[in-house]
Amino acid sequence: MNRKLTATRESQLNVRQNELRFFTETVDAGRISPLAFFEAGDSCYKDERFYWQNADKTLTLVGIGHATVLTSDGTNDRFTHISTSWKKLCSSLIKEENDREPVLFGGFSFDPKSVKQSEWDAFPSAHFVVPSFQLSITNGKTEISINLVTKSNDGAEQFEKLRDERDRLIHIAQVEESALLTKPEVVSIEELSKEHYLETVADVTKKINNGEAEKVVIARSVKLNFADDVPAVTALHHISNEQQESYHFGLQKDGQLFFGATPERLIEISNGRAYSACVAGSIKRGKSATEDRELGDELLEDRKNREEHQYVVNMISQVFKSFCTDIKISKVPKLMKVRDIQHLFTPVEGKVEQGTDIFSLVQALHPTPALGGVPTDIAMEMIRSEENLDRGYYAGPIGWTDTAGNGEFAVAIRSALLDGNSAYLYAGGGIVADSEPDKEYDETWVKFRPVMRALGGKLNG
């Protein structure tokens, strides 16, 4: 490991007190399992870890410890607040050419105006962290960075302690044997407000037919209860192992883990280009290749699902026209097939205009019609009054950005909040004029399946 402070870092680490400085240092780590590194932080950083893997497996991120935390309880200014705070921190960055760009990882709640007391009480409307120890695997190359944010005049001493701790964590990840990650034992599954959900779908369908909205997404939740507390690494191992085609994420806070495997990218910025995915309209997978193809064809030809999908395409296209040039949009949707579900999918990309950061695009895109509805403001008011659910970070944007302006956010669906020996799972669907409550209810079970299976649950619907 690199133990020598360069002249540049040495001179900067011990400057005057009360001046904010952001230091980073990166070393090659050879081959190391990202979940083994995540688990190495269990004893000392149980509530200070995150996990991310993109859908094509070209990037994996693990964060341990907090170099700094950026939060917001705001309703209207939370995106701007996080963006401004991050830019200020980036302006204090001291790094060398070969050091990896530090990342900021976190998420936003679906609706900051949802003020119900719930399992989400520990999560503010925005919660982001710069990790003290950052593992990055990019196209097979593994690197580990130390990040230090300080105003102290003993920065060199702090940095040396972080190096010792980094080496300890790497040693644990490489040498200690991982526990056998068996699935949890589920003792009960509670349907939360099933009758209310069915009544809400019927009521919202009636309002849509009366012209009050075009589409409204209504969600519900179920609770799993386990025989014992479920370790975070167990949940992440099984969800990532079983949902290979999805984005995998995990964010810990105050003894809880929000995690999932979502098929839906909200926005990615890479070297000045932005990429998004219009994902709406779904159907189950077939039991054979023939049935699977027939179901896919049915989805492509289904008027309700195509209409629901087009709402998303229209909205995301409009956002890209406001923030990008050189825009490319497929004219017809394709099929996106993940383990349990087929979705209608239309990719969008464009060149980001000067001065636009990823938080501007996240703010403009959230919530898409796939998770909110059309028109957005009316749909959100209906969700608040009808749904009787605090979605928390479910269906909100979760992801990362780095100090170079690159980043990626996914829509946090197919997700759950793990809390000791219980977990809350969330699923929803788009309600339009011809929606039927029983069919919408059945569709939520299809969407519960990925997380429920990962946690050892068996479907009863």
Side-chain angles (χ1 to χ4, degrees):
M1 294 296 172
N2 177 19
R3 306 298 304 179
K4 183 180 178 182
L5 283 172
T6 64
T8 303
R9 261 197 207 98
E10 182 74 51
S11 64
Q12 295 288 344
L13 277 162
N14 292 312
V15 296
R16 66 183 180 276
Q17 202 164 359
N18 297 322
E19 181 180 332
L20 182 69
R21 288 154 294 143
F22 182 6
F23 299 100
T24 191
E25 177 184 86
T26 303
V27 297
D28 289 338
R31 290 200 173 274
I32 186 170
S33 159
L35 282 177
F37 188 70
F38 180 93
E39 182 63 1
D42 186 66
S43 60
C44 298
Y45 307 95
K46 191 180 285 287
D47 295 335
E48 298 180 359
R49 295 178 293 175
F50 69 76
Y51 181 85
W52 170 271
Q53 187 175 65
N54 64 3
D56 59 10
K57 308 295 183 289
T58 57
L59 175 68
T60 303
L61 296 170
V62 176
I64 296 177
H66 291 166
T68 195
V69 179
L70 306 180
T71 64
S72 173
D73 283 313
T75 55
N76 300 318
D77 64 348
R78 57 187 181 149
F79 300 98
T80 303
H81 176 77
I82 298 298
S83 175
T84 302
S85 300
W86 178 234
K87 286 173 183 173
K88 180 180 178 183
L89 191 57
C90 290
S91 70
S92 304
L93 178 66
I94 298 164
K95 69 182 285 291
E96 297 186 2
E97 188 176 347
N98 293 328
D99 290 325
R100 179 96 187 186
E101 301 285 349
V103 300
L104 179 74
F105 182 90
F108 297 93
S109 65
F110 176 78
D111 181 9
K113 294 181 180 178
S114 178
V115 293
K116 305 177 184 72
Q117 282 194 321
S118 73
E119 62 271 19
W120 291 101
D121 288 348
F123 284 76
S125 64
H127 177 75
F128 284 82
V129 303
V130 176
S132 299
F133 308 98
Q134 171 186 318
L135 177 142
S136 309
I137 304 177
T138 309
N139 297 318
K141 182 180 181 181
T142 304
E143 299 170 303
I144 293 180
S145 302
I146 296 167
N147 297 315
L148 172 64
V149 177
T150 184
K151 289 184 177 181
S152 172
N153 61 359
D154 64 346
E157 184 180 332
Q158 293 181 57
F159 211 78
E160 200 57 37
K161 288 180 179 177
L162 288 173
R163 283 172 161 171
D164 289 339
E165 180 65 356
R166 172 199 63 196
D167 294 349
R168 186 186 75 86
L169 292 169
I170 291 173
H171 182 265
I172 292 171
Q174 290 178 332
V175 175
E176 292 195 7
E177 199 168 319
S178 298
L180 185 62
L181 300 176
T182 56
K183 287 189 177 181
E185 180 189 344
V186 177
V187 295
S188 65
I189 300 175
E190 300 177 44
E191 285 206 64
L192 305 177
S193 304
K194 173 185 173 180
E195 293 306 319
H196 176 84
Y197 170 80
L198 294 169
E199 291 167 7
T200 297
V201 171
D203 188 43
V204 168
T205 302
K206 188 182 298 182
K207 289 182 177 181
I208 290 171
N209 280 294
N210 289 338
E212 296 180 43
E214 295 176 57
K215 173 189 173 182
V216 181
V217 177
I218 297 298
R220 72 186 191 98
S221 65
V222 297
K223 184 182 180 185
L224 302 189
N225 298 301
F226 308 101
D228 301 293
D229 287 0
V230 180
V233 72
T234 298
L236 291 171
H237 168 77
H238 288 294
I239 196 75
S240 58
N241 188 51
E242 295 178 7
Q243 300 294 319
Q244 293 286 330
E245 310 90 343
S246 298
Y247 291 87
H248 306 135
F249 63 87
L251 177 63
Q252 288 190 300
K253 190 176 188 305
D254 292 4
Q256 297 174 309
L257 171 75
F258 178 53
F259 79 102
T262 175
E264 188 169 346
R265 171 205 281 155
L266 183 66
I267 188 69
E268 177 186 6
I269 294 181
S270 178
N271 299 318
R273 287 196 71 81
Y275 305 86
S276 188
C278 310
V279 180
S282 59
I283 200 166
K284 66 183 180 179
R285 297 297 303 268
K287 294 179 181 177
S288 67
T290 300
E291 184 188 9
D292 201 58
R293 185 173 60 253
E294 290 171 351
L295 286 166
D297 290 342
E298 180 185 331
L299 177 61
L300 286 165
E301 295 168 7
D302 183 75
R303 186 182 64 82
K304 172 186 177 292
N305 279 289
R306 286 292 291 266
E307 181 181 279
E308 186 180 335
H309 184 78
Q310 194 59 43
Y311 286 134
V312 181
V313 173
N314 293 344
M315 183 266 199
I316 292 180
S317 300
Q318 198 59 47
V319 169
F320 266 60
K321 288 173 184 175
S322 300
F323 290 94
C324 301
T325 57
D326 186 28
I327 299 165
K328 299 176 182 177
I329 306 171
S330 297
K331 288 184 167 50
V332 293
K334 308 171 185 178
L335 288 175
M336 174 192 287
K337 299 192 178 197
V338 294
R339 180 169 179 179
D340 298 289
I341 309 171
Q342 304 184 60
H343 293 283
L344 294 177
F345 162 70
T346 299
V348 182
E349 68 170 281
K351 182 180 178 182
V352 181
E353 290 188 340
Q354 197 76 22
T356 297
D357 72 352
I358 199 165
F359 293 108
S360 302
L361 283 158
V362 170
Q363 180 174 14
L365 289 166
H366 176 73
T368 71
L371 282 310
V374 180
T376 301
D377 291 347
I378 293 171
M380 291 295 285
E381 286 300 330
M382 280 196 196
I383 290 168
R384 289 179 195 124
S385 63
E386 299 272 359
E387 199 173 69
N388 194 33
L389 174 72
D390 180 4
R391 295 190 185 185
Y393 281 32
Y394 161 70
I398 190 164
W400 64 275
T401 186
D402 67 17
T403 51
N406 300 305
E408 188 166 24
F409 279 77
V411 181
I413 55 175
R414 314 290 182 270
S415 55
L417 184 67
L418 181 62
D419 188 1
N421 64 353
S422 62
Y424 298 85
L425 283 60
Y426 308 88
I431 310 306
V432 292
D434 56 355
S435 291
E436 300 174 30
D438 288 342
K439 287 185 178 179
E440 296 296 334
Y441 172 80
D442 291 342
E443 184 179 318
T444 62
W445 278 115
V446 175
K447 293 173 177 177
F448 281 132
R449 185 175 288 126
V451 177
M452 187 169 289
R453 182 196 291 116
L455 292 174
K458 294 179 181 178
L459 289 177
N460 61 350

